[in-house]
Structures are given as structure tokens and as C-alpha cells.
Amino acid sequence: MGSGYNMHALEKILATHAGKKEVSPGEIINCKVDLAAVNDLYLQVIKSFQEMGGQKVKDPEKVAFIFDHYAPAPTIKAALNQKIMREFVREQKIKYLFDVDAGICHQILPESGLVWPGMLLIMTDSHTTTHGAFGAFGTGVGATDLAVALLTGELWFRVPEIIRINVDGYLQPGVMAKDVILHIIGTLKQDAAIYKAIEFTGSTVKELSIDGRMVLTNMSVEMGAKTSYIQPDNKTLAYLKSRVKKPFKVYTTDPGYKYAEEFLFEVEKLEPQVAVPHTVDNVVSVSEVEGVEVDQVFIGSCTGGRLEDIEIAARILKNKKINKNTRLIVGPASKNVLLEAINAGYIDILLKAGATIIPPGCGPCLGAHQGVLAPGEVGVTTSSRNFPGRMGSREAKIYITSPATAAATALEGKIADPRKYIKE
Ligand SMILES: CC(C)[C@H](C(=O)O)[C@@H](O)C(=O)O
Ligand code: SF4
């Protein structure tokens, strides 16, 4: 590509980390990594590092280990994995260890000021696309690639084509970012963005809170996206101000940049959306599944366990009791979210409504050790995946909804439209 090529912010981030002036889609480049994070399911990272002859981690101050998927350890195997990882962190003087009390990686890293605009972040988790909400290039990698990054401080990347999804219009009360992304996934389908990047733009995105924006970028991977992006604005900078201690550069996209594809979604009239069994792109409006009886509701995960998710559930359930035939499990995405929800009185409301509050972590989202569904049960979840066996028995059915729809469902004991409970 000759000079004068209009570049996207994501391409500029990659070019900077590759020490190049410019990059273009399809190019294979080698980049310095700003943060490499490992979660507790990936002991293989240490094994691969050692198999590659690794003695010393290249940049231990750019590495984080996070115990969130099986936290606190529910089995001896999980406990042993975490024990070995703690020893590795100590030996290698790795700077960041978030132990079983902290919460989910995709909440604690931004909270801790470890995600900033223009950074290049890799993690052994597919939802690392979340961090595009802060203008970072975040992507999930496997154990071998993560081990290479521990060894060398660098990793290879293929520069992705970039899709723009423009979302316009004010959402109705009771309709959330989760409804927007479910509608987009239901329209474009699970293979819409394989190996590509998705940038979300438009008036709706501007209006969303940071929590809401993270839902869009988090679930872009459910369309196969390699990474996702929302241009940092004053709202982003306000969130980062008290958290990020280091200077950073906000990259921008050149005017006239040519996207690989562009889509427009008008969402003023969007109803609450539901992904019905057994795929995340099998999406209908809530009116089509209202009345389906539900055994368990889970409000939590890196997609739907943040403060605004717990807040809207408390608004719907205040001074009320959940249906006697339905269990409501609430898993805050992090210890900080839990503390804020306690201080705001939301946890008190939810406990009095009959909810079970579980420790911050992934837990029920991946059917790990708690909040598991029995054969034949029907579950509603604010997380991101509903394939057979995702939350326990393969004979259970899982519906994915927004936290507002989940709370209304727990109240009625059947899938319910939250708009009757949220008027502004
Ligand atoms: C860590 C990994 C097993 C997995 C992912 O990469 O997404 C998990 O977080 C999930 O949500 O299925
Ligand atoms: S909360 Fe669920 S989707 Fe998010 S990282 Fe954990 S297991 Fe994966």
C-alpha cells in the first residue's frame, strides 16, 4: 500500500506496536505487547513456556494472572492449577496477580487502570474484544501464543479487515445495550466477522454508558470478531481519568478511511431481544417467547454482571419477591462492583427479593461449579453463550437476555418484557 493510505485507529495501534509507519489488512506483522493476561483455565501457558525453554519472562511488569473462571477453586484440580500459577507468578516476579477474590478479567483489568486507549492487549480469553470499548486493540489468544509473548514480549498478528456497525436512535426505557448487540448478532449471524474487527459508531453508542459499551465490544466475538473498537470520547476519558496512571495516546481514524463493510441499525423501536436455544444468533423479540416458564435466572458474567446490570435488576425487584418456582442467581463481575452494589443498597433489595448472591467470577456463565442447570431445566442468562451444555446439562435450554429482561423473568417466573416495570 503506498503512503497516504487512510488508516483506521486500530491499524495505527498495530503499526505503532510493530514499529512501522503503516499497515494494511491481510499483512502479517510482529508487535510488542503492552499486557499479556492469563486466566486460571490456562495452566498450559506455563507448560508451553517451559517446553519452549523459557527461563525468564521477558517483561514481568506487563503480565497478569487472573483467577476468575473457577473462583474460588471448586475442585482439587482447579486448586492445584491456581497453586502452580501462584508459584510461577512469585518465581517470575510477575507484577499482577488477581486472586480468587477479585472477579472477572474483563471487569477487573479496566477497573485497575490496566486498559487504556492505544494499547495492545492479549489474553487467554475470547472476550478480550471487550477492551475495544476503551480504544484498545484487545484480542484473545491460545496458550502457545501467550507463552511466546511471555518469552519474547511480542506476538505475530494478521491485520484484520474492519467492519463498521453504525447504531442510531434512543433506546426505549427497559431496552439495554444487550438488546442492541443481540439484535445485531441475530441479523448478521455468528460468522459475520470472522478474523475481522468491528467498530461500533453512532448516536446510540455515544449515549451508552461505559458498562453498556463494553457489552457491544464483548459480544462482537460472538460474530467471530478478532477485536472490536469504540472511539474514545469524553465519557471514556472520564472513566479512565482516576484509573490509568500512565500517559496514553488516543488514536483516530483518518477521514475517508474505507471500511471493508458497513451496516446501519436504527434502534428507536427495538424491543427487548432474546437469543433462544441453542445458538447466540437465534434471536427473537421478547414478545415471541413471553410466557416461557423459567427455572433459573442468572444475572452476571463479563457481559451482564456490572453495576448498571445489578442496578436495573434492583429497580425491578425492589420491595417484591421473585416467583416461588424460579431461582435468581446474581454474580457481580468484580469485588468492586459487589461493594458498589452493596453501598447502593441493591444487594439488600435483591437478597430480600429472594436472590442468591454468589462471589464475583465467571461461575454459572460456563457451568462451572455453581448455578448449574439440571437436565430439562430452562435457564435465562445475561451472559453471552447458550450452546448445549454451556451452563450444565446438555438437556437444559438457555435463553440469553438483557439484565432487565432477566429480572422481569425472575419476578414472573416466565420470560417477561421488562418495559412494564421500567418507565424511564
Ligand atoms: C477462557 C475460555 C475457556 C473461554 C473463552 O475463551 O471465552 C471462556 O471464558 C468462555 O467464555 O467460554
Ligand atoms: S464471564 Fe463467561 S464469557 Fe466472560 S470470561 Fe468468564 S466464562 Fe468467559
Side-chain angles (χ1 to χ4, degrees), residues 214-289:
M214 292 169 85
V215 175
L216 302 186
T217 50
N218 173 282
M219 284 193 73
S220 60
V221 74
E222 308 308 332
M223 292 182 277
K226 177 191 188 81
T227 193
S228 191
Y229 187 79
I230 292 174
Q231 185 60 35
D233 59 11
N234 289 339
K235 211 177 269 188
T236 324
L237 298 178
Y239 177 92
L240 296 170
K241 191 155 173 279
S242 60
R243 292 177 170 86
V244 180
K245 304 289 175 244
K246 60 187 296 171
F248 55 78
K249 171 180 176 174
V250 177
Y251 289 81
T252 56
T253 297
D254 296 333
Y257 173 76
K258 193 143 178 30
Y259 289 87
E261 287 176 274
E262 297 198 49
F263 299 95
L264 171 63
F265 288 86
E266 306 274 2
V267 294
E268 298 255 321
K269 297 191 173 50
L270 186 68
E271 275 189 42
Q273 299 290 294
V274 181
V276 303
H278 292 282
T279 62
V280 64
D281 62 359
N282 192 3
V283 179
V284 300
S285 291
V286 68
S287 49
E288 294 183 42
V289 286

Side-chain angles (χ1 to χ4, degrees), residues 69 104-106 125 127 301-302 362 365-366 384 390:
H69 282 68
I104 305 168
C105 52
H106 304 309
D125 191 276
H127 288 100
S301 85
C302 65
C362 302
C365 175
L366 77 166
S384 52
R390 172 69 181 184

Side-chain angles (χ1 to χ4, degrees), residues 91-109:
E91 271 161 34
Q92 295 289 338
K93 299 186 177 48
I94 283 166
K95 187 167 185 181
Y96 303 103
L97 170 62
F98 295 95
D99 217 305
V100 294
D101 63 309
I104 305 168
C105 52
H106 304 309
Q107 179 60 21
I108 55 177
L109 289 178

Side-chain angles (χ1 to χ4, degrees), residues 141-158:
V141 299
T144 310
D145 279 342
L146 207 296
V148 166
L150 293 185
L151 210 53
T152 68
E154 301 186 359
L155 191 60
W156 72 277
F157 294 85
R158 179 187 175 281

